[in-house]
Amino acid sequence: SLDIWVPFEGFSAVASVPPSARETTAFATARIDWKETPEAHIFKADLPGLKKEEVKVEVEDGNVLQISGERSKEHEEKNDKWHRVERSCGKFMRRFRLPENAKVDQVKAN
């Protein structure tokens, strides 16, 4: 007889994570680019589907830029028939330690 080795058999690490944590981690990898110009440090974030009011930008501990937010689950109608759901919902937070030359009192977002 041939035994088939199943490498992930019995692996339940994802199953042991509560659903709320899985939602958070699914959106936690918000992609952010950071460049420095002679005038400023510029952060560009890919946050599709979020409104300006749903994103928070703040400076903590003197020089740590924190970008956070939350995408809510869409309202589901009783007659909706979903074929695929790939966009995740949940919270995200990214933190960046700014260099000494950053003017944290002039941080702005748009």
Side-chain angles (χ1 to χ4, degrees), residues 1-2 9-10 16 28 31-32 34-35 37 39-40 45 48 54-56 66 71 74 78 91-92 94 98-99 103 107:
S1 86
L2 295 173
E9 184 176 1
S16 66
R31 305 285 188 206
I32 299 177
W34 174 9
K35 74 175 176 179
T37 68
E39 297 81 29
E54 297 171 321
V55 179
K56 188 175 183 181
Q66 179 173 297
R71 179 183 295 145
E74 288 188 19
K78 184 177 181 180
K91 298 178 183 181
F92 77 93
R94 297 290 308 273
L98 299 172
K103 297 175 183 169
V107 169

Side-chain angles (χ1 to χ4, degrees), residues 34 43 56-68 93-100 102-105 107:
W34 174 9
F43 293 82
K56 188 175 183 181
V57 177
E58 56 192 339
V59 177
E60 293 186 335
D61 301 327
N63 69 335
V64 176
L65 179 72
Q66 179 173 297
I67 303 170
S68 60
M93 179 180 64
R94 297 290 308 273
R95 300 177 89 199
F96 303 91
R97 184 167 307 282
L98 299 172
E100 295 298 321
K103 297 175 183 169
V104 296
D105 58 330
V107 169

Side-chain angles (χ1 to χ4, degrees), residues 17-106:
V17 175
S20 60
R22 284 195 298 266
E23 288 176 359
T24 300
T25 57
F27 193 45
T29 57
R31 305 285 188 206
I32 299 177
D33 296 338
W34 174 9
K35 74 175 176 179
E36 181 177 354
T37 68
E39 297 81 29
H41 289 269
I42 300 170
F43 293 82
K44 290 187 178 184
D46 285 339
L47 305 171
L50 286 181
K51 297 177 186 141
K52 180 179 179 178
E53 302 79 36
E54 297 171 321
V55 179
K56 188 175 183 181
V57 177
E58 56 192 339
V59 177
E60 293 186 335
D61 301 327
N63 69 335
V64 176
L65 179 72
Q66 179 173 297
I67 303 170
S68 60
E70 182 172 3
R71 179 183 295 145
S72 302
K73 196 169 192 174
E74 288 188 19
H75 178 70
E76 194 171 317
E77 296 292 329
K78 184 177 181 180
N79 296 327
D80 287 348
K81 181 179 178 184
W82 290 89
H83 292 278
R84 188 170 193 87
V85 177
E86 291 185 342
R87 295 180 319 128
S88 55
C89 61
K91 298 178 183 181
F92 77 93
M93 179 180 64
R94 297 290 308 273
R95 300 177 89 199
F96 303 91
R97 184 167 307 282
L98 299 172
E100 295 298 321
N101 68 346
K103 297 175 183 169
V104 296
D105 58 330
Q106 296 179 19

